[in-house]
Amino acid sequence: MPTMTDEKIAKQRFVQEELAAMLRAATGGFVHSCEYDGSFNGYEIVYVATHPDPWAIDFFAVDVTGDSHWEIAKDVMKTVAERYE
């Protein structure tokens, strides 16, 4: 497995700690978690787990390749909004 760069480690921390917490709070728990994968065949992916109802978990992926923290947040929030609103 390739070693992640410092930039990708920073993105991973941002996604899994800050962005996930904000989305969980903003959606009242609809967003369960966000995981960053910076080693997916040259792509950077954020996997989002949601609770569309109390008994189900849904997963989807957002391509965030080359994105800054701001762009990651916008891309993930846009995709969550399409499923949540």
Side-chain angles (χ1 to χ4, degrees), residues 43-83:
Y43 292 94
E44 296 174 75
I45 305 293
V46 172
Y47 298 100
V48 181
T50 62
H51 283 290
D53 67 57
W55 306 105
I57 295 179
D58 182 34
F59 297 92
F60 59 91
V62 181
D63 181 357
V64 297
T65 304
D67 284 1
S68 66
H69 289 186
W70 175 243
E71 292 167 327
I72 290 171
K74 288 191 315 182
D75 288 346
V76 172
M77 287 188 298
K78 177 182 176 191
T79 306
V80 168
E82 290 169 357
R83 293 170 178 263

Side-chain angles (χ1 to χ4, degrees), residues 8 10 12 15-16 30 32 35 41 59 69-70 83:
K8 289 183 178 181
Q12 182 180 46
V15 167
Q16 293 175 198
F30 175 78
H32 180 264
E35 300 290 329
N41 294 328
F59 297 92
H69 289 186
W70 175 243
R83 293 170 178 263

